[in-house]
Amino acid sequence: MTRPGRYRLRTRLRRHLPRFLLDRGVAAEGREDCGAHRWYDHDGAVARCHHCAPAERPWPAPPGAP
């Protein structure tokens, strides 16, 4: 059995909390690398991880990127 990612619970909370609470830092992204990235398109040029703040990569992802 694999361990769930370390920020999965925080991500679930962020899906259900109102935006004004997220803007105030409640359930903010983790400061450390989560190691289990789930990417989203941040601004059309950069993809960021749902779980941690330090993870970024070009968007769209280059072929073969994890």
Side-chain angles (χ1 to χ4, degrees), residues 23-45:
D23 291 341
R24 293 200 164 120
V26 175
E29 291 178 337
R31 293 184 195 150
E32 297 177 26
D33 189 343
C34 70
H37 305 301
R38 284 190 50 215
W39 302 101
Y40 69 94
D41 179 12
H42 175 68
D43 61 4

Side-chain angles (χ1 to χ4, degrees), residues 2 5 7-8 10 13 18-19 26 30 33 43 53-54 61:
T2 61
Y7 297 118
R8 299 287 178 182
R10 184 177 302 159
L13 286 173
R19 186 72 194 175
V26 175
D33 189 343
D43 61 4

Side-chain angles (χ1 to χ4, degrees), residues 1-61:
M1 180 176 182
T2 61
R3 289 181 61 187
R6 56 195 274 201
Y7 297 118
R8 299 287 178 182
L9 176 61
R10 184 177 302 159
T11 302
R12 284 189 204 127
L13 286 173
R14 292 177 70 200
R15 267 191 229 138
H16 299 289
L17 288 174
R19 186 72 194 175
F20 76 91
L21 288 176
L22 297 177
D23 291 341
R24 293 200 164 120
V26 175
E29 291 178 337
R31 293 184 195 150
E32 297 177 26
D33 189 343
C34 70
H37 305 301
R38 284 190 50 215
W39 302 101
Y40 69 94
D41 179 12
H42 175 68
D43 61 4
V46 173
R48 291 195 173 159
C49 176
H50 283 284
H51 308 297
C52 62
E56 288 187 355
R57 71 176 185 187
W59 184 266

